Amino acid sequence: MRGEAGSSEALLAELLRTGHGAAGARAFLSERELDESRLVGLLHLAVPASFLEAVASTPPWSERPRVLGAVCLNPKAPRALAQRLLPVLYWRDLADLATSPRVEGGVRARAEALLRERVAELRLGEKITLARLATPALLRLLLQEADSKIVEAALQNPRLTESDLVGLVQSGLATPALLEAVGLSSRWRSSYAVRLALVLQPRTPAGLALGQLTSLVESDLRRIAGHPGLRPVVREAARRVAAEGRRR
């Protein structure tokens, strides 16, 4: 890794000696025998914007999505250039752009929108990987997937907040895979708000809903007991647990 970093720094020094303009950038690309990995490493450094423009318009680099992804991820990439390149990038580069604080807000938003359009085309393993690092908007989409592996990965994403999860559990978009995974999640089953949301969701499996009742306060138990949309068995159990609590 140190050797690669040193090589990238040496390349940057050479690039800067050729000048900061477009002519120097094109000369550097034509005179140096760069492979894709070395160029990507260089693009991770503070290269001039003119070099980013040159890479994006010079074959064969202008046809390499991995290289173009590195161009877009560079904080010096002009917004117009990044926006133009986004549609040809790999999904992983779009995910990195959508979550990078160093990237301009409009570029992040467009990367996220493109990724949302592509989610359905991703393979299972790709969706699982994306679920672990996705933005909140993408998480909401991935938490609606039918495959429990994707949902479980999304539940571990540090960007997922309690309020977002509670809102999804309570909504009509909550899937059986989500409800069951939330009930088993070591991260979320300790959340009172999440446990209550599970009980108040009519589609939560009866066994899972019943298992939450003894951890709820009396006021919420009374609310559950009077909820007309819930299963009778859940409502009756809530009444019983509340009554037992009052007798103690």
Side-chain angles (χ1 to χ4, degrees):
M1 184 65 70
R2 289 182 179 177
E4 291 179 5
S7 176
S8 296
E9 294 287 356
L11 285 173
L12 177 60
E14 290 183 38
L15 170 62
L16 296 179
R17 282 196 294 270
T18 66
H20 287 252
R26 288 193 294 270
F28 179 87
L29 286 172
S30 65
E31 294 169 6
R32 302 300 186 284
E33 294 185 0
L34 296 173
D35 58 27
E36 185 171 298
S37 294
R38 293 184 72 203
L39 180 55
V40 167
L42 175 59
L43 290 169
H44 287 162
L45 303 180
V47 298
S50 57
F51 182 69
L52 299 172
E53 296 271 10
V55 170
S57 61
T58 303
W61 311 122
S62 57
E63 300 162 4
R64 304 281 182 86
R66 183 179 172 223
V67 171
L68 299 181
V71 168
C72 294
L73 280 163
N74 191 294
K76 291 188 178 181
R79 177 177 180 175
L81 173 63
Q83 292 279 14
R84 175 169 60 84
L85 298 179
L86 289 178
V88 303
L89 300 187
Y90 292 136
W91 74 266
R92 183 56 192 261
D93 289 320
L94 289 174
D96 288 341
L97 283 162
T99 58
S100 174
R102 304 193 309 160
V103 174
E104 192 269 336
V107 174
R108 290 201 306 271
R110 177 60 176 151
E112 181 182 75
L114 287 170
L115 195 49
R116 281 179 62 89
E117 295 173 3
R118 294 190 196 174
V119 165
E121 303 170 3
L122 299 181
R123 297 188 294 269
L124 174 60
E126 293 171 334
K127 288 183 179 181
I128 292 172
T129 299
L130 178 59
R132 294 192 180 107
L133 53 87
T135 58
L138 288 166
L139 271 175
R140 185 173 178 84
L141 191 63
L142 291 162
L143 285 166
Q144 297 169 47
E145 289 279 342
D147 194 296
S148 61
K149 295 184 182 67
I150 301 170
V151 176
E152 289 163 7
L155 289 173
Q156 296 305 313
N157 187 312
R159 294 185 176 89
L160 179 61
T161 65
E162 180 182 77
S163 60
D164 285 343
L165 181 57
V166 166
L168 186 55
V169 167
Q170 291 178 331
S171 76
L173 300 174
T175 64
L178 173 62
L179 298 173
E180 292 174 9
V182 169
L184 295 172
S185 171
S186 58
R187 177 186 179 189
W188 293 110
R189 64 190 176 199
S190 62
S191 163
Y192 185 92
V194 171
R195 294 199 305 274
L196 178 59
L198 282 172
V199 179
L200 290 171
Q201 169 54 263
R203 292 198 304 278
T204 296
L208 178 56
L210 292 170
Q212 314 306 314
L213 295 178
T214 56
S215 69
L216 303 182
V217 300
E218 184 179 345
S219 59
D220 286 327
L221 289 168
R222 290 198 304 268
R223 176 184 173 193
I224 293 162
H227 195 306
L230 298 179
R231 292 181 177 88
V233 66
V234 174
R235 296 168 60 191
E236 179 56 35
R239 276 192 290 269
R240 186 171 64 253
V241 173
E244 290 173 355
R246 286 195 297 271
R247 288 197 293 268
R248 291 194 188 117

